[in-house]
CSV table of all heavy atoms in Angstrom, one decimal:
chain,number,residue,atom,x,y,z
A,20,ARG,N,16.7,12.0,9.2
A,20,ARG,CA,17.2,11.1,10.3
A,20,ARG,C,18.7,10.9,10.1
A,20,ARG,O,19.5,11.0,11.0
A,20,ARG,CB,16.5,9.8,10.2
A,20,ARG,CG,16.8,8.9,11.4
A,20,ARG,CD,16.0,7.6,11.3
A,20,ARG,NE,16.2,6.9,10.1
A,20,ARG,CZ,15.2,6.6,9.2
A,20,ARG,NH1,13.9,6.8,9.5
A,20,ARG,NH2,15.5,6.0,8.1
A,22,ARG,N,21.0,12.8,8.4
A,22,ARG,CA,21.7,14.0,8.7
A,22,ARG,C,21.8,14.3,10.2
A,22,ARG,O,22.9,14.7,10.7
A,22,ARG,CB,21.0,15.2,8.0
A,22,ARG,CG,21.1,15.2,6.5
A,22,ARG,CD,20.3,16.4,5.9
A,22,ARG,NE,20.8,17.7,6.3
A,22,ARG,CZ,20.0,18.7,6.6
A,22,ARG,NH1,18.7,18.6,6.5
A,22,ARG,NH2,20.5,19.8,6.9
A,23,LEU,N,20.7,14.1,10.9
A,23,LEU,CA,20.8,14.3,12.3
A,23,LEU,C,21.7,13.4,13.1
A,23,LEU,O,22.5,13.8,13.9
A,23,LEU,CB,19.4,14.1,12.9
A,23,LEU,CG,18.5,15.3,13.2
A,23,LEU,CD1,17.2,14.9,13.6
A,23,LEU,CD2,19.2,16.2,14.2
A,24,LYS,N,21.7,12.1,12.7
A,24,LYS,CA,22.6,11.1,13.4
A,24,LYS,C,24.0,11.6,13.2
A,24,LYS,O,24.8,11.5,14.2
A,24,LYS,CB,22.4,9.7,12.7
A,24,LYS,CG,21.2,9.0,13.3
A,24,LYS,CD,21.1,7.6,12.8
A,24,LYS,CE,19.9,6.8,13.3
A,24,LYS,NZ,19.6,5.6,12.5
A,25,MET,N,24.4,12.0,12.0
A,25,MET,CA,25.7,12.4,11.7
A,25,MET,C,26.1,13.6,12.6
A,25,MET,O,27.1,13.7,13.3
A,25,MET,CB,25.8,12.8,10.2
A,25,MET,CG,27.2,13.1,9.8
A,25,MET,SD,28.0,11.6,9.3
A,25,MET,CE,27.3,11.4,7.6
A,26,MET,N,25.2,14.6,12.5
A,26,MET,CA,25.4,15.9,13.2
A,26,MET,C,25.5,15.7,14.7
A,26,MET,O,26.4,16.3,15.4
A,26,MET,CB,24.2,16.8,12.9
A,26,MET,CG,24.4,18.2,12.8
A,26,MET,SD,25.7,18.6,11.6
A,26,MET,CE,27.0,19.2,12.6
A,27,ILE,N,24.6,14.9,15.2
A,27,ILE,CA,24.6,14.8,16.7
A,27,ILE,C,25.8,14.0,17.2
A,27,ILE,O,26.3,14.3,18.3
A,27,ILE,CB,23.2,14.2,17.1
A,27,ILE,CG1,22.2,15.2,17.1
A,27,ILE,CG2,23.3,13.6,18.5
A,27,ILE,CD1,20.8,14.8,17.4
A,28,SER,N,26.2,13.0,16.4
A,28,SER,CA,27.4,12.3,16.9
A,28,SER,C,28.6,13.2,16.9
A,28,SER,O,29.5,13.1,17.8
A,28,SER,CB,27.6,11.0,16.2
A,28,SER,OG,28.2,11.2,14.9
A,29,GLN,N,28.7,14.1,15.9
A,29,GLN,CA,29.8,15.1,15.9
A,29,GLN,C,29.7,16.0,17.1
A,29,GLN,O,30.6,16.3,17.7
A,29,GLN,CB,29.6,15.8,14.6
A,29,GLN,CG,30.9,16.0,13.8
A,29,GLN,CD,30.7,16.6,12.5
A,29,GLN,OE1,30.3,17.8,12.4
A,29,GLN,NE2,30.9,15.8,11.4
A,30,ASP,N,28.4,16.5,17.3
A,30,ASP,CA,28.2,17.5,18.4
A,30,ASP,C,28.7,16.8,19.7
A,30,ASP,O,29.3,17.5,20.5
A,30,ASP,CB,26.7,17.8,18.5
A,30,ASP,CG,26.2,18.7,17.5
A,30,ASP,OD1,27.1,19.3,16.8
A,30,ASP,OD2,25.0,18.9,17.4
A,31,ARG,N,28.3,15.6,19.9
A,31,ARG,CA,28.6,14.9,21.2
A,31,ARG,C,30.1,14.7,21.4
A,31,ARG,O,30.6,14.9,22.5
A,31,ARG,CB,27.9,13.5,21.2
A,31,ARG,CG,26.4,13.6,21.5
A,31,ARG,CD,25.7,12.3,21.5
A,31,ARG,NE,24.3,12.4,21.6
A,31,ARG,CZ,23.4,11.4,21.3
A,31,ARG,NH1,23.9,10.3,20.9
A,31,ARG,NH2,22.1,11.6,21.4
A,32,MET,N,30.7,14.4,20.3
A,32,MET,CA,32.2,14.3,20.4
A,32,MET,C,32.8,15.6,20.8
A,32,MET,O,33.7,15.6,21.7
A,32,MET,CB,32.7,13.8,19.0
A,32,MET,CG,33.9,13.0,19.1
A,32,MET,SD,33.7,11.6,18.0
A,32,MET,CE,33.8,12.3,16.4
A,33,GLN,N,32.4,16.7,20.1
A,33,GLN,CA,33.0,18.0,20.4
A,33,GLN,C,32.7,18.4,21.9
A,33,GLN,O,33.6,19.0,22.5
A,33,GLN,CB,32.4,19.0,19.5
A,33,GLN,CG,33.4,19.5,18.5
A,33,GLN,CD,32.8,20.3,17.4
A,33,GLN,OE1,31.8,21.0,17.6
A,33,GLN,NE2,33.3,20.3,16.2
A,34,ARG,N,31.5,18.0,22.3
A,34,ARG,CA,31.1,18.4,23.7
A,34,ARG,C,32.0,17.8,24.7
A,34,ARG,O,32.2,18.4,25.8
A,34,ARG,CB,29.6,18.0,23.9
A,34,ARG,CG,28.8,19.0,24.5
A,34,ARG,CD,27.4,18.5,24.8
A,34,ARG,NE,26.6,18.3,23.6
A,34,ARG,CZ,25.8,17.3,23.4
A,34,ARG,NH1,25.6,16.4,24.3
A,34,ARG,NH2,25.0,17.3,22.3
A,35,SER,N,32.4,16.6,24.4
A,35,SER,CA,33.2,15.8,25.4
A,35,SER,C,34.6,16.2,25.4
A,35,SER,O,35.4,15.8,26.3
A,35,SER,CB,33.0,14.3,25.2
A,35,SER,OG,33.7,14.0,24.0
A,36,GLN,N,35.1,17.0,24.5
A,36,GLN,CA,36.5,17.4,24.4
A,36,GLN,C,36.7,18.6,25.4
A,36,GLN,O,35.9,19.4,25.5
A,36,GLN,CB,36.8,17.9,23.0
A,36,GLN,CG,36.8,16.8,22.0
A,36,GLN,CD,37.0,17.3,20.6
A,36,GLN,OE1,37.1,18.5,20.3
A,36,GLN,NE2,37.2,16.4,19.6
A,37,PRO,N,37.9,18.6,26.0
A,37,PRO,CA,38.3,19.7,26.8
A,37,PRO,C,38.5,21.0,26.0
A,37,PRO,O,38.8,20.9,24.8
A,37,PRO,CB,39.6,19.2,27.5
A,37,PRO,CG,40.1,18.1,26.6
A,37,PRO,CD,39.0,17.5,25.9
A,38,ASP,N,38.3,22.1,26.7
A,38,ASP,CA,38.3,23.4,26.0
A,38,ASP,C,39.7,23.7,25.4
A,38,ASP,O,39.9,24.4,24.5
A,38,ASP,CB,37.9,24.5,26.9
A,38,ASP,CG,36.5,24.4,27.3
A,38,ASP,OD1,35.7,23.7,26.6
A,38,ASP,OD2,36.1,24.9,28.4
A,40,LEU,N,41.8,21.7,24.0
A,40,LEU,CA,42.2,20.9,22.9
A,40,LEU,C,42.7,21.6,21.7
A,40,LEU,O,43.8,21.3,21.1
A,40,LEU,CB,41.2,19.8,22.6
A,40,LEU,CG,41.7,18.6,21.8
A,40,LEU,CD1,42.6,17.8,22.6
A,40,LEU,CD2,40.6,17.8,21.2
A,66,TYR,N,41.2,12.9,19.7
A,66,TYR,CA,40.9,12.8,21.1
A,66,TYR,C,40.0,11.6,21.4
A,66,TYR,O,39.0,11.4,20.7
A,66,TYR,CB,40.2,14.1,21.6
A,66,TYR,CG,39.8,14.2,23.0
A,66,TYR,CD1,40.7,14.5,24.0
A,66,TYR,CD2,38.5,13.8,23.4
A,66,TYR,CE1,40.3,14.5,25.4
A,66,TYR,CE2,38.1,13.9,24.7
A,66,TYR,CZ,39.0,14.2,25.7
A,66,TYR,OH,38.6,14.2,27.0
A,67,HIS,N,40.3,10.9,22.5
A,67,HIS,CA,39.5,9.7,22.8
A,67,HIS,C,39.1,9.9,24.3
A,67,HIS,O,40.0,10.1,25.1
A,67,HIS,CB,40.2,8.4,22.6
A,67,HIS,CG,40.7,8.2,21.2
A,67,HIS,ND1,39.9,7.9,20.2
A,67,HIS,CD2,41.9,8.4,20.7
A,67,HIS,CE1,40.6,7.8,19.1
A,67,HIS,NE2,41.9,8.2,19.4
A,68,SER,N,37.8,9.8,24.6
A,68,SER,CA,37.4,9.8,26.0
A,68,SER,C,37.1,8.4,26.4
A,68,SER,O,36.1,7.8,25.9
A,68,SER,CB,36.1,10.7,26.0
A,68,SER,OG,35.7,10.7,27.3
A,69,LEU,N,37.9,7.9,27.3
A,69,LEU,CA,37.7,6.5,27.8
A,69,LEU,C,37.0,6.6,29.2
A,69,LEU,O,37.0,7.7,29.8
A,69,LEU,CB,39.0,5.8,28.0
A,69,LEU,CG,39.9,5.8,26.7
A,69,LEU,CD1,41.3,5.2,26.9
A,69,LEU,CD2,39.2,5.0,25.6
B,140,VAL,N,11.9,17.1,28.1
B,140,VAL,CA,12.5,17.9,27.0
B,140,VAL,C,11.5,17.8,25.8
B,140,VAL,O,11.0,16.8,25.4
B,140,VAL,CB,13.8,17.2,26.5
B,140,VAL,CG1,14.3,17.8,25.2
B,140,VAL,CG2,14.9,17.2,27.6
B,148,SER,N,15.1,21.3,15.9
B,148,SER,CA,14.6,21.1,17.2
B,148,SER,C,15.2,19.9,17.9
B,148,SER,O,15.6,19.9,19.1
B,148,SER,CB,13.1,20.9,17.1
B,148,SER,OG,12.6,20.5,18.4
B,149,VAL,N,15.4,18.8,17.1
B,149,VAL,CA,15.9,17.5,17.7
B,149,VAL,C,17.4,17.8,18.1
B,149,VAL,O,17.9,17.4,19.1
B,149,VAL,CB,15.8,16.4,16.7
B,149,VAL,CG1,16.5,15.1,17.3
B,149,VAL,CG2,14.3,16.1,16.5
B,150,ARG,N,18.1,18.5,17.2
B,150,ARG,CA,19.5,18.7,17.5
B,150,ARG,C,19.7,19.6,18.8
B,150,ARG,O,20.5,19.3,19.6
B,150,ARG,CB,20.2,19.5,16.3
B,150,ARG,CG,21.7,19.6,16.5
B,150,ARG,CD,22.2,20.5,15.4
B,150,ARG,NE,23.7,20.5,15.5
B,150,ARG,CZ,24.4,21.3,14.7
B,150,ARG,NH1,23.9,22.1,13.8
B,150,ARG,NH2,25.7,21.3,14.8
B,151,ASP,N,18.8,20.6,18.9
B,151,ASP,CA,18.9,21.4,20.1
B,151,ASP,C,18.5,20.7,21.3
B,151,ASP,O,19.1,20.9,22.4
B,151,ASP,CB,18.0,22.7,19.9
B,151,ASP,CG,18.5,23.6,18.9
B,151,ASP,OD1,19.6,23.4,18.3
B,151,ASP,OD2,17.9,24.7,18.7
B,152,SER,N,17.6,19.7,21.2
B,152,SER,CA,17.2,18.9,22.3
B,152,SER,C,18.4,18.1,22.8
B,152,SER,O,18.6,17.9,24.0
B,152,SER,CB,16.1,18.0,21.9
B,152,SER,OG,14.9,18.7,21.6
B,153,ASP,N,19.2,17.6,21.9
B,153,ASP,CA,20.3,16.8,22.2
B,153,ASP,C,21.3,17.6,23.0
B,153,ASP,O,21.9,17.2,24.0
B,153,ASP,CB,21.0,16.2,21.0
B,153,ASP,CG,22.1,15.3,21.4
B,153,ASP,OD1,21.8,14.2,21.9
B,153,ASP,OD2,23.3,15.6,21.2
B,154,ARG,N,21.4,18.9,22.6
B,154,ARG,CA,22.3,19.9,23.3
B,154,ARG,C,21.8,20.0,24.7
B,154,ARG,O,22.6,20.0,25.7
B,154,ARG,CB,22.2,21.2,22.5
B,154,ARG,CG,23.3,22.2,22.7
B,154,ARG,CD,24.6,21.7,22.1
B,154,ARG,NE,25.7,22.3,22.9
B,154,ARG,CZ,26.2,23.5,22.8
B,154,ARG,NH1,25.7,24.3,21.9
B,154,ARG,NH2,27.1,24.0,23.6
B,155,ILE,N,20.5,20.2,24.9
B,155,ILE,CA,19.9,20.5,26.2
B,155,ILE,C,20.1,19.2,27.1
B,155,ILE,O,20.4,19.3,28.3
B,155,ILE,CB,18.4,20.8,26.1
B,155,ILE,CG1,18.3,22.3,25.7
B,155,ILE,CG2,17.7,20.5,27.3
B,155,ILE,CD1,18.6,23.3,26.8
B,156,ILE,N,20.0,18.0,26.5
B,156,ILE,CA,20.2,16.8,27.3
B,156,ILE,C,21.6,16.7,27.8
B,156,ILE,O,21.8,16.4,29.0
B,156,ILE,CB,19.8,15.6,26.4
B,156,ILE,CG1,18.3,15.6,26.1
B,156,ILE,CG2,20.2,14.3,27.1
B,156,ILE,CD1,17.9,14.6,25.0
B,157,GLY,N,22.6,17.2,27.0
B,157,GLY,CA,23.9,17.3,27.4
B,157,GLY,C,24.1,18.2,28.6
B,157,GLY,O,24.9,17.9,29.5
B,158,LEU,N,23.4,19.3,28.6
B,158,LEU,CA,23.5,20.3,29.7
B,158,LEU,C,22.9,19.8,30.9
B,158,LEU,O,23.4,20.0,32.0
B,158,LEU,CB,22.9,21.6,29.3
B,158,LEU,CG,23.6,22.4,28.1
B,158,LEU,CD1,22.8,23.6,27.7
B,158,LEU,CD2,25.0,22.8,28.6
B,160,ASP,N,22.9,16.8,31.8
B,160,ASP,CA,23.8,15.8,32.4
B,160,ASP,C,25.1,16.5,33.0
B,160,ASP,O,25.9,15.8,33.6
B,160,ASP,CB,24.3,14.9,31.2
B,160,ASP,CG,23.2,13.9,30.8
B,160,ASP,OD1,22.3,13.7,31.6
B,160,ASP,OD2,23.3,13.4,29.7
B,161,SER,N,25.2,17.8,32.8
B,161,SER,CA,26.5,18.4,33.3
B,161,SER,C,26.3,19.7,34.1
B,161,SER,O,27.1,19.9,35.0
B,161,SER,CB,27.4,18.7,32.1
B,161,SER,OG,26.8,19.6,31.2
B,174,THR,N,15.3,12.3,32.7
B,174,THR,CA,15.0,13.1,31.6
B,174,THR,C,14.1,12.3,30.6
B,174,THR,O,14.4,11.1,30.2
B,174,THR,CB,16.2,13.5,30.8
B,174,THR,OG1,17.0,14.2,31.8
B,174,THR,CG2,15.9,14.4,29.7
B,176,LEU,N,11.2,12.6,27.1
B,176,LEU,CA,11.0,13.3,25.9
B,176,LEU,C,9.5,13.5,25.6
B,176,LEU,O,8.7,12.6,25.7
B,176,LEU,CB,11.6,12.6,24.7
B,176,LEU,CG,11.5,13.1,23.3
B,176,LEU,CD1,12.2,14.5,23.2
B,176,LEU,CD2,12.1,12.1,22.3
B,196,ASP,N,12.1,7.3,15.5
B,196,ASP,CA,13.3,7.9,15.0
B,196,ASP,C,13.9,8.8,16.0
B,196,ASP,O,15.1,8.7,16.3
B,196,ASP,CB,13.0,8.7,13.7
B,196,ASP,CG,12.7,7.9,12.5
B,196,ASP,OD1,13.0,6.7,12.5
B,196,ASP,OD2,12.1,8.4,11.5
B,197,ILE,N,13.1,9.7,16.5
B,197,ILE,CA,13.5,10.7,17.4
B,197,ILE,C,14.0,10.1,18.8
B,197,ILE,O,15.0,10.5,19.3
B,197,ILE,CB,12.4,11.8,17.7
B,197,ILE,CG1,12.0,12.4,16.4
B,197,ILE,CG2,12.9,12.9,18.6
B,197,ILE,CD1,10.7,13.2,16.5
B,198,GLU,N,13.2,9.1,19.2
B,198,GLU,CA,13.6,8.4,20.5
B,198,GLU,C,14.9,7.7,20.3
B,198,GLU,O,15.8,7.8,21.2
B,198,GLU,CB,12.5,7.4,20.8
B,198,GLU,CG,12.7,6.7,22.2
B,198,GLU,CD,11.5,5.8,22.5
B,198,GLU,OE1,10.9,5.3,21.6
B,198,GLU,OE2,11.3,5.6,23.7
B,199,GLU,N,15.2,7.1,19.1
B,199,GLU,CA,16.4,6.5,18.9
B,199,GLU,C,17.6,7.4,18.9
B,199,GLU,O,18.7,7.2,19.5
B,199,GLU,CB,16.4,5.7,17.6
B,199,GLU,CG,17.5,4.7,17.4
B,199,GLU,CD,17.7,4.4,15.9
B,199,GLU,OE1,16.7,4.2,15.2
B,199,GLU,OE2,18.9,4.2,15.5
B,200,ILE,N,17.4,8.6,18.2
B,200,ILE,CA,18.5,9.6,18.1
B,200,ILE,C,18.8,10.2,19.4
B,200,ILE,O,20.0,10.3,19.8
B,200,ILE,CB,18.1,10.7,17.1
B,200,ILE,CG1,18.1,10.1,15.6
B,200,ILE,CG2,19.1,11.8,17.1
B,200,ILE,CD1,17.5,11.0,14.6
B,201,LEU,N,17.8,10.5,20.2
B,201,LEU,CA,18.1,11.2,21.5
B,201,LEU,C,18.3,10.3,22.6
B,201,LEU,O,18.9,10.7,23.6
B,201,LEU,CB,16.9,12.2,21.8
B,201,LEU,CG,16.7,13.4,20.8
B,201,LEU,CD1,15.5,14.2,21.2
B,201,LEU,CD2,17.9,14.3,20.8
B,202,ALA,N,17.9,9.0,22.4
B,202,ALA,CA,18.2,8.0,23.5
B,202,ALA,C,17.6,8.3,24.8
B,202,ALA,O,18.3,8.1,25.8
B,202,ALA,CB,19.7,7.7,23.5
B,203,ILE,N,16.5,8.9,24.9
B,203,ILE,CA,15.7,9.1,26.1
B,203,ILE,C,14.3,8.6,25.9
B,203,ILE,O,13.8,8.7,24.8
B,203,ILE,CB,15.8,10.5,26.7
B,203,ILE,CG1,15.2,11.5,25.7
B,203,ILE,CG2,17.2,11.0,27.1
B,203,ILE,CD1,15.0,12.9,26.3
B,204,PRO,N,13.6,8.1,27.0
B,204,PRO,CA,12.3,7.6,26.8
B,204,PRO,C,11.2,8.6,26.5
B,204,PRO,O,11.3,9.8,27.0
B,204,PRO,CB,12.0,6.9,28.1
B,204,PRO,CG,12.9,7.5,29.1
B,204,PRO,CD,14.1,7.9,28.3
Side-chain angles (χ1 to χ4, degrees):
Chain A
R20 192 178 54 234
R22 288 175 63 216
L23 258 176
K24 277 186 183 163
M25 186 87 84
M26 214 53 246
I27 283 180
S28 77
Q29 227 174 63
D30 284 349
R31 284 179 188 162
M32 208 131 70
Q33 250 169 31
R34 223 185 288 147
S35 68
Q36 292 177 351
D38 298 335
L40 197 70
Y66 176 84
H67 306 282
S68 176
L69 307 174
Chain B
V140 174
S148 171
V149 175
R150 186 188 188 184
D151 290 0
S152 296
D153 187 66
R154 199 71 211 278
I155 280 289
I156 294 167
L158 295 174
D160 289 338
S161 61
T174 303
L176 180 63
D196 289 342
I197 303 169
E198 186 175 28
E199 190 200 323
I200 291 170
L201 293 178
I203 58 171

